[in-house]
Amino acid sequence: MACKTLTNETLNAWEYGNEPNLYRGSTRPSDWTIAQYTKEWLAGTKLIDETIASNCPDVAQATVNGYMAPSMSGVKIDSGFTPSDAFKAQINNQKNIKQISVHSYMTGSKRPGVTLQRTLMNHNWTINSVDIQVAYARFFAKAAPNIPLILGETNSLSGGGAPGASNSFGAALWVLDFGLYCASQNITRIHFHQSEGAAYSAWQAMPNKAGPPATLPPYYGKIALATFIGNEEGVQIVHIPRESVYEAAYAAYVHGQLTRIAVINLLEFNSTQGSTAVSSAQTPQTSPDYASMGSSRPSRTFVIHIPGIAGKATVQRLHAAGSDATTNITFNNTSYDYDRNEGLPVQIGQSESLEALNSADDGSITIEVPDSEAAILSFDDSVSCARALTAKVCV
């Protein structure tokens, strides 16, 4: 039965070992070297291959199945026990690694100073976290150009996430920002870790001590992320730099033609307390003090300048009552809450996809995005864009 299950349709790759850089000083000696690890990995995978060949010959003959490795956790490129060090030690001398896997989290859930605004709803934190992996991407682009780099395990805050942050709507906005920045840096695949009862999980599948079955906020970020990336061939995601750490913007091109733009307003708006003032100690940039505005929800005006554009854009919004919300979240006015229809989509009111914005005479499109929300603008076939791979978003 196991052999029938392990088919090309169901098996993507094997993984041997998990975060081996953390073995030192625990299950291995503290002076365990990268050479010793590589020797052990090669011996172990050889045994796995021989066992499969003996018991599941059909699976063994499927050469598409290889390994994701070395699955190390949050290691800096100069630490001496890294994915690049493993490749230098010839871990892939059998040419059986099909995905270069690294693990990454924004930080630990119990680290001092972790807050929703400072950590997850902060574009600089996201950039700095992903850029550690980008350094590996640059190395492997030369050392192993035909093997994709993936995040084999990732999520917001390690240790299952932090309640009040990882399970809030703010985390859904982080998923969208994080996923799009990864895509813009040629990280080809992301495996979001989740477990039963973990705050950062996308859903609660079965009743347990954490509660009944539920669709959790990060799920909505993944729906928005998948929508923006799309399923067309030839998609390229481009990061559009912003001056504020509380904003993020991206453009999606299909075969060089501008197709979608995402704008994310990361300023925290608490549904019960109103806007949260951002202290200057948290960021070198200055931010408007929205706290004085009371409980009314402020928004930011984004003016998107695209040379040569003419036509209109339809809008899909990632929406909730505030960054702290855990329920009544929608994307494109659609709910996936388990309580409504066991996770199946339910339209709430009129579809927001009917919201349309026309370009001005100068080719600009203006959109209001409330604090702690995101919007995806899609350009239909009537839009003409004279300059591909050019988009400037300015406020």
Side-chain angles (χ1 to χ4, degrees):
M1 181 174 291
C3 292
K4 291 181 179 179
T5 301
L6 298 176
T7 65
N8 292 337
E9 290 75 25
T10 58
L11 178 64
N12 178 259
W14 301 96
E15 185 177 37
Y16 179 55
N18 179 61
E19 302 181 350
N21 56 302
L22 303 182
Y23 295 175
R24 293 190 294 180
S26 56
T27 60
R28 300 293 188 276
S30 57
D31 59 353
W32 192 49
T33 66
I34 196 73
Q36 290 171 314
Y37 157 69
T38 300
K39 181 179 180 181
E40 188 173 328
W41 190 91
L42 290 169
T45 53
K46 182 174 183 291
L47 180 59
I48 291 172
D49 293 341
E50 292 172 348
T51 303
I52 295 170
S54 175
N55 294 278
C56 305
D58 292 340
V59 175
Q61 291 174 6
T63 57
V64 295
N65 293 323
Y67 290 85
M68 52 187 294
S71 302
M72 293 181 183
S73 172
V75 288
K76 294 184 177 180
I77 201 162
D78 59 352
S79 68
F81 203 109
T82 69
S84 51
D85 292 324
F87 269 72
K88 291 175 183 177
Q90 301 301 310
I91 193 174
N92 196 34
N93 67 3
Q94 297 301 309
K95 307 300 181 185
N96 59 351
I97 294 178
K98 65 179 294 187
Q99 297 170 350
I100 300 167
S101 170
V102 294
H103 294 185
S104 175
Y105 290 84
M106 292 282 281
T107 188
S109 59
K110 297 182 180 179
R111 289 283 183 91
V114 170
T115 67
L116 191 56
Q117 181 73 93
R118 180 180 180 182
T119 311
L120 299 186
M121 296 177 65
N122 184 315
H123 188 54
N124 268 9
W125 269 73
T126 297
I127 289 176
N128 292 337
S129 174
V130 176
D131 279 355
I132 296 173
Q133 317 311 326
V134 172
Y136 288 119
R138 295 193 183 106
F139 171 84
F140 286 114
K142 297 179 179 180
N146 297 321
I147 308 177
L149 176 74
I150 71 167
L151 295 188
E153 179 185 320
T154 190
N155 215 308
S156 56
L157 303 169
S158 64
S166 299
N167 63 342
S168 69
F169 181 64
L173 296 172
W174 169 81
V175 165
L176 180 59
D177 186 19
F178 177 81
L180 291 181
Y181 188 71
C182 285
S184 75
Q185 303 303 306
N186 291 324
I187 295 174
T188 59
R189 191 180 180 101
I190 304 173
H191 295 178
F192 284 101
H193 187 268
Q194 65 178 44
S195 59
E196 190 175 82
Y200 56 39
S201 292
W203 58 77
Q204 175 69 31
M206 299 178 64
N208 62 22
K209 62 181 181 181
T215 307
L216 304 178
Y219 183 79
Y220 288 87
K222 295 175 173 66
I223 291 289
L225 175 60
T227 298
F228 187 80
I229 293 175
N231 58 4
E232 306 101 330
E233 294 183 1
V235 176
Q236 180 181 358
I237 308 301
V238 177
H239 173 237
I240 303 172
R242 306 290 302 130
E243 291 184 1
S244 172
V245 300
Y246 304 113
E247 298 173 3
Y250 300 89
Y253 296 84
V254 178
H255 299 301
Q257 182 72 25
L258 179 66
T259 305
R260 292 175 286 275
I261 285 180
V263 181
I264 310 170
N265 184 343
L266 295 167
L267 275 168
E268 186 175 15
F269 179 84
N270 189 294
S271 62
T272 58
Q273 300 175 4
S275 294
T276 302
V278 180
S279 72
S280 59
Q282 293 176 350
T283 173
Q285 283 79 10
T286 59
S287 299
D289 184 1
Y290 285 143
S292 61
M293 298 182 180
S295 60
S296 62
R297 188 170 191 166
S299 63
R300 285 202 158 187
T301 301
F302 294 84
V303 181
I304 303 168
H305 291 282
I306 308 168
I309 195 171
K312 67 179 181 179
T314 55
V315 182
Q316 297 168 294
R317 296 181 183 269
L318 183 57
H319 167 80
S323 57
D324 58 320
T326 58
T327 58
N328 296 320
I329 300 168
T330 60
F331 175 68
N332 194 33
N333 255 14
T334 301
S335 170
Y336 298 86
D337 283 359
Y338 183 88
D339 291 344
R340 293 183 185 274
N341 193 21
E342 297 185 340
L344 295 175
V346 175
Q347 184 173 310
I348 308 298
Q350 186 180 20
S351 173
E352 280 195 36
S353 64
L354 298 177
E355 179 185 354
L357 300 172
N358 293 312
S359 61
D361 292 340
D362 63 355
S364 65
I365 291 180
T366 302
I367 183 170
E368 295 281 336
V369 182
D371 288 357
S372 298
E373 286 204 9
I376 294 175
L377 292 81
S378 298
F379 303 104
D380 61 23
D381 294 337
S382 67
V383 170
S384 62
C385 186
R387 297 177 63 182
L389 294 179
T390 303
K392 183 179 180 182
V393 180
C394 58
V395 179

